[in-house]
Amino acid sequence: MAVLVIADHDGAHLRDTTLKVITAAQKLSGDIDVLVYGEASAVAAQAAAAAGVRKVLTAESAELKADIAEAVSALIVSLAGGYDAIALPATASGKNVAPRIAAALDVSIISDVIDVVAGDTFVHPIYAGNALETVKTADAKKVLTVRPTAFAPVAATGGSAAVEAVAVPAVTLKTRFVSDEKVVSDRPELGAAKVVVSGGRALGSADEFKAVLEPLADKLGAAVGASRAAVDAGYAPNDYQVGQTGKVVAPELYIAVGISGAIQHLAGMKDSKVIVAINKDPEAPIFQVADFGLVEDYKTAVPALLKALG
Amino acid sequence: MKVLVPVKRVLDYNVKVRVKSDQTGVDLANVKMAMNPFDEIAVEEAVRLKEKGTVTEIVAVSIGVAQCEAILRTALAMGADRGLLIETDQDLEPLAVAKVLKAVVAQENPDIVLMGKQAIDGDNNATGQMLSALLDWPQATFASKVEIAGSEALVTREVDGGLQTLGVQLPAVITTDLRLNEPRYASLPNIMKAKKKPLDTRALADYGVDAAARLTVVKVTEPAKRSAGIKVDSADALIANLKTAGVL
Ligand SMILES: Cc1cc2nc3c(=O)[nH]c(=O)nc-3n(C[C@H](O)[C@H](O)[C@H](O)COP(=O)(O)OP(=O)(O)OC[C@H]3O[C@@H](n4cnc5c(N)ncnc54)[C@H](O)[C@@H]3O)c2cc1C
Ligand SMILES: Nc1ncnc2c1ncn2[C@@H]1O[C@H](COP(=O)(O)O)[C@@H](O)[C@H]1O
């Protein structure tokens, strides 16, 4: 059995996510190849250095760089013959393309895998993580998205896999890339950060969101996250949303500021090691999952926290 | 221009989920069911496109038990023109749903299939992408803005790191994200009118699609509960606790 892992990267760096998907893949097989598509050159070497990788495949084109699903899935389907399983990270990019690959191969998709029980049996959360479903697939080829927070990363160094460019299949695209609007930040990425500071509707405006949360995030070296309400209201970019239908994070420390703790939000952060909630309502459901709760107005609590941190 | 909107009947998002003690699934007996929230957003977007004059007909389709009729009526009350219920007691996987929808597309010939990015029961986030692959149509998932310009849809998508805009040639599959719009509530007069709108019911068997399950559910369990924490009374106490916990 061999597994093809699809790398998660930004053109310069291999994300930690990839190393976590490799760990999940190792539960299926010792033969793991990693596909780096898009701007592959710098990243391929990093993938080759990851522990436990047999071979790194690279593929480059403008469409792959733009992450056009039709192009990416055509590439992966063209490689699928050599593999028993294809594992993608459960990121927006992975979720965009994985079901396409599965449908093209006429197999089911198993979304958001958090545990590999056997070669054909997987655990994944359903109902916003309120239930865990164990499913056994009858499909010979498996297509999975893997929830990175559920697996530890393999070592980033020590491997010395060969790197091999693969042919990019020609596809007539009916999709064109128009533009990108990426949020640039010097902070650690939400999915990878050791500390996450998240804000909710209580913050009341984009300016207040920044003014309150950024100094705290700076002091803690944290990534910034948000509730859906804060994103919907325009206090924070969409990419910050933590939850059932946003990003799933599991940092060492998660600080929720002015967030009530709806189940859809909890779905994205309840596996954090330590959870802190700052909320002026003692009945807020967030306190049911918080290790440490501070019942206070954030307007006094956050400055006091900054002061105490020195 | 014609839009097909697939809508799924799911547990209402406000209802607390209970796992059955025999571990066979989630308890759906006597609980409030509703249209999947992302599908409401899809219906709303289709209705807005119709109000703008871009779209002339909206067909809502639901695959599932007879009670799916209720959510189709909701779609009609929001502004869809016709409903189609494809009845089955089987719980279909995304691949099977996509195959059925492909057959519906062959009958209805829509220019756009506008659907939710994710059903909040299975949280699969898969059916739209699968349908797009089966139809060999372009896909634009996780839409936060849709503009129709001639034979192309310009779709702004919520992606890792921000937003991306794609142009997809129609016909295409578009899936909705939360920021696309805020769905309207159906007014009482519109709910009354919806009762008279056409709603066809067909059997799943009529479509001759292989909807066999590929997955066997071994068990459904409750996740580990977090043990209750403590309340602290000051920022200083909080920091002392975080130091003890080893995270500062
Ligand atoms: C289909 C669907 C998907 C969803 N997906 C997500 C998701 O992925 N992520 C997500 O987060 N949500 C999601 N939601 C939304 C979710 O149900 C909640 O509406 C949302 O999480 C609420 O955000 P909030 O906690 O910021 O706002 P609110 O619930 O309004 O809470 C604000 C909190 O701030 C507190 N507060 C107010 N003022 C102060 C103050 N001065 N100081 C301290 N505390 C204060 C209040 O006591 C309150 O508890 C989804 C909903 C649906 C239907
Ligand atoms: N049984 C169904 N009937 C109609 N539409 C469905 C059904 N199942 C899924 N869908 C559509 O597919 C979308 C994504 O669902 P999923 O892939 O299951 O997360 C939903 O938001 C619906 O638009």
Side-chain angles (χ1 to χ4, degrees), chain A residues 66 96 100 106 127-128 132 134 136 138-139 174 176 179 181 183 232 239 241 245 270 272 291 293, chain B residues 99 117 121 123 129 132 136 139 141 152 161 163-165 167 169 179 214 216 218-219 221 226 230 232:
Chain A
N96 186 41
R100 260 198 101 84
D106 193 34
Y127 287 93
L132 304 179
T134 305
K136 185 178 158 118
D139 291 319
K174 290 172 269 185
R176 72 184 173 97
S179 62
E181 202 182 303
V183 180
D232 282 3
D239 182 49
Q241 183 181 305
T245 60
K270 70 178 157 61
S272 304
D291 298 281
Chain B
K99 287 180 178 180
K117 82 162 178 182
D121 49 4
D123 283 335
Q129 297 88 314
S132 155
D136 195 22
Q139 75 177 44
T141 54
E152 188 183 56
L163 299 169
Q164 178 193 52
T165 303
Q169 278 167 38
R179 258 66 65 182
R214 305 292 182 86
T216 316
V218 178
K219 63 177 177 179
T221 58
R226 281 190 84 94
I230 57 164
V232 294

Side-chain angles (χ1 to χ4, degrees), chain A residues 200-201 227-228 241-243 245 258 260 264-265 279-280 297-298:
Chain A
R201 193 196 312 268
S227 71
R228 174 192 172 178
Q241 183 181 305
V242 170
T245 60
S260 62
Q264 293 85 7
H265 188 78
N279 194 305
K280 68 179 182 187
D297 193 316
Y298 77 80

Side-chain angles (χ1 to χ4, degrees), chain B residues 33-55:
Chain B
M33 304 293 283
M35 191 192 304
N36 181 43
F38 287 99
D39 304 351
E40 286 183 342
I41 295 172
V43 174
E44 175 66 34
E45 195 64 18
V47 173
R48 290 188 189 185
L49 289 170
K50 194 177 172 194
E51 287 167 347
K52 273 196 217 153
T54 318
V55 162

